Amino acid sequence: MASQGKKLINDPIAVVTEFIEGLVETYPGLQYLDGFPEVKVVLRADYASAMLDKVAVISGGGSGHEPAHAGFVGEGMLSAAICGEVFTSPQVDAILSGIRAVTGPMGCLLVVTNYTGDRLNFGLAAEQARSEGYKVETVIVGDDCALPPLRGTAGRRGLAGTILVNKIAGAAAATGLSLDEVAAEAKRASEMVGTMGVALSVCTLPGQVTSDRLGPGKMELGLGIHGEPGAAVADLQPVEVVVSHVLQEILSPDTNYVPITPGNRVVLLINGLGATPAMELMIAAGKAVPQLQLEHGLAVDRVYTGSFMTSLDMAGFSISIMKADEAILQYLDAATKAPHWPVGVNGNRPPAKIPVPLPLSHSAKSYESLSRPQQLSEQGCLLEVAIEAAVIAIIDLRDNLNEWDGRVGDGDCGSTMCRGATAILEDMKKHYPLNDAAETVGEIGSSIRRVMGGTSGIIYTIFCKAACAHLKANTQSVVTSKQWAEALEVSIAAVSKYGGASAGFRTLLDALIPASAVLQERLNAGDDPCTAFLLSSEAAVAGAESTRHMQAQHNALHVKERLVMISTNLSIPYGRAGRSAYISSDILATVPDPGAMAAASWYRAAALAIKNKYQVHE
């Protein structure tokens, strides 16, 4: 069922003039003619000096395609853009006003999209301007590749390829070429570009209802930029398949839309239609380039990705392909102050990817120093036993962790921790240098960082890297129990520093902080390391269990929560840090913190394993 479209506007009738006002407030290089509402013309603020010795380049059409065309006004591109009402060709008087404003002795080129209204209105304005003594030429752009080559008198529609033609015309004019030469360059460019669009939704005009013409799970191929129906409706497909179909249509030798054959150089433009996220446009670009190279045998010299010629809030994109040569590339690379022409695209394309650099510490070490020793020292044996017990405890606890996390978070704590534990177990068998405690702890952090996502992954990586750095400061080959205790303390401080939590915040620190305190206390009291470790692990378990009775610290309420509290005058007891910060105290009262329980589990398992190892030796 059709529904009223949501728009952040004031009066639907005033959207174009208010857009222009906002545009020129944003970009000081732009001005507009004081002729609202009939005359809506955006022009270069330096038009008076520019018109003396350069050909003026003007484009325009109905609004609703922003940033086209007003966003491409600027030195090196358009001299002026004529704006009609939404999806309505500008009036002759407005076009004529634009011509008069920016045209000097060198003349003016009109770049017109191939729609009947635009051709008629720009054509009549051109004739009137000539009668007034202005030198005016016109180039019509019809780059649409969705409709059959011969379709009545209207011909192929002007689409996003017009933006490339505008850039080439503006750059040619900036070099000082004559009107005939600028027009010839623009016409040549218009004959080398083809475009086809794909929509996932139709657009909603200001003040009107949203059409339900395109149903769920459907996409429209070859639609027009004014919401007019496309050439076909099909089931939604992965973007790689969609891109392949569009490229085949544009480059089809049967229709011969563009004179592009294998071995040619091309420019690719991926154009968002208004409501398509940059991520999706970049995915389309990433699929289009290799297809052009491998399937069509083309050299892709430039790629422009973004929203250039939209259709209000339409979801979808269009692809434009232009045959390129050195002259076209120079024009496209030429400097421009047009605010919406993309920067950072100029120049030859380097390789898309390069090798990932290795840490200096790794590259400087021999392979043997970062591989599992053939013979384990006593310390190496203890490390192996402790690590293996710790990770098996986590793997066994996976379901419980997920169940607890499902009540206070997103339910994946156990799965995430299990991925890290499994990676540690596998990596230890292959290349942990177990006789080197500092490097082993560092490698545990590397294993975690490689496979564990989310907050848990980065917290444990910080934990391990901090411990590694502290242990490396020890010049002795064997790490003492007090040095291990100090490393634990340093790691806790690092996690607290970067994570923002401390004791009582319902995090893993609620297990590790009491464990660290007891470990230091018992070692200072003269207990043997094994006993001190075991007692500290009991403190870790008690600390984790105590999180059942904690409320977590919530540093900042979300906007929605603040609005609820303001409107109802209620004080909502939310928590303190991590996943629990967004859960009510009623739920928290029955569930331990999964992160604390996980930390207590591996810590306790490691302590018991060390105890058992010593008992065997005794």
Side-chain angles (χ1 to χ4, degrees), residues 238-531:
V239 68
E240 189 169 25
V241 176
V242 176
V243 167
S244 176
H245 174 78
V246 171
L247 296 181
Q248 292 285 355
E249 290 295 312
I250 295 174
L251 299 171
S252 172
D254 297 331
T255 53
N256 196 30
Y257 286 123
V258 286
I260 296 175
T261 56
N264 287 161
R265 305 164 68 182
V266 296
V267 168
L268 171 67
L269 185 143
I270 305 290
N271 170 60
L273 294 177
T276 308
M279 176 184 287
E280 295 177 22
L281 296 178
M282 290 299 174
I283 292 172
K287 299 304 178 185
V289 171
Q291 288 187 25
L292 287 169
Q293 293 169 331
L294 301 177
E295 297 177 18
H296 298 277
L298 302 173
V300 182
D301 283 334
R302 301 289 184 275
V303 179
Y304 303 96
T305 303
S307 294
F308 302 92
M309 181 179 281
T310 65
S311 185
L312 292 171
D313 56 354
M314 182 180 290
F317 64 88
S318 66
I319 297 179
S320 300
I321 307 171
M322 174 179 277
K323 184 178 181 180
D325 55 27
E326 283 302 321
I328 282 180
L329 294 178
Q330 287 179 10
Y331 287 140
L332 292 174
D333 289 348
T336 178
K337 293 183 179 179
H340 283 273
W341 180 256
V343 298
V345 180
N346 300 350
N348 295 326
R349 296 167 55 80
K353 56 186 176 182
I354 60 174
V356 176
L358 295 175
L360 293 176
S361 59
H362 283 201
S363 59
K365 292 180 177 293
S366 66
Y367 174 80
E368 288 75 19
S369 67
L370 287 179
S371 61
R372 182 183 174 89
Q374 293 182 353
Q375 183 76 29
L376 291 182
S377 64
E378 181 181 356
Q379 177 180 258
C381 290
L382 290 174
L383 268 176
E384 182 180 43
V385 167
I387 293 170
E388 184 173 5
V391 297
I392 289 175
I394 291 296
I395 293 171
D396 291 342
L397 196 63
R398 182 189 64 181
D399 292 341
N400 286 337
L401 290 173
N402 280 340
E403 192 272 330
W404 291 324
D405 194 39
R407 297 170 68 182
V408 300
D410 49 14
D412 67 346
C413 177
S415 299
T416 301
M417 294 290 295
C418 186
R419 282 199 303 274
T422 302
I424 291 169
L425 194 60
E426 293 175 352
D427 292 348
M428 181 176 70
K429 296 175 181 177
K430 298 176 183 176
H431 62 76
Y432 280 6
L434 291 165
N435 290 342
D436 187 329
E439 286 292 351
T440 297
V441 173
E443 287 301 303
I444 292 173
S446 297
S447 299
I448 290 171
R449 184 172 60 182
R450 192 181 73 249
V451 300
M452 279 179 66
T455 305
S456 298
I458 191 65
I459 283 177
Y460 272 105
T461 302
I462 290 171
F463 182 88
C464 292
K465 294 303 182 182
C468 174
H470 182 79
L471 293 174
K472 279 185 177 180
N474 173 37
T475 58
Q476 304 299 317
S477 59
V478 177
V479 179
T480 67
S481 56
K482 286 193 174 182
Q483 288 168 339
W484 278 113
E486 291 169 358
L488 176 61
E489 187 177 28
V490 167
S491 297
I492 290 170
V495 170
S496 181
K497 174 183 176 180
Y498 294 109
S502 59
F505 278 48
R506 282 187 61 97
T507 70
L508 79 167
L509 295 186
D510 288 307
L512 295 180
I513 288 175
S516 176
V518 170
L519 183 61
Q520 298 252 17
E521 177 186 341
R522 300 319 307 164
L523 289 174
N524 291 334
D527 287 3
D528 68 88
C530 183
T531 300

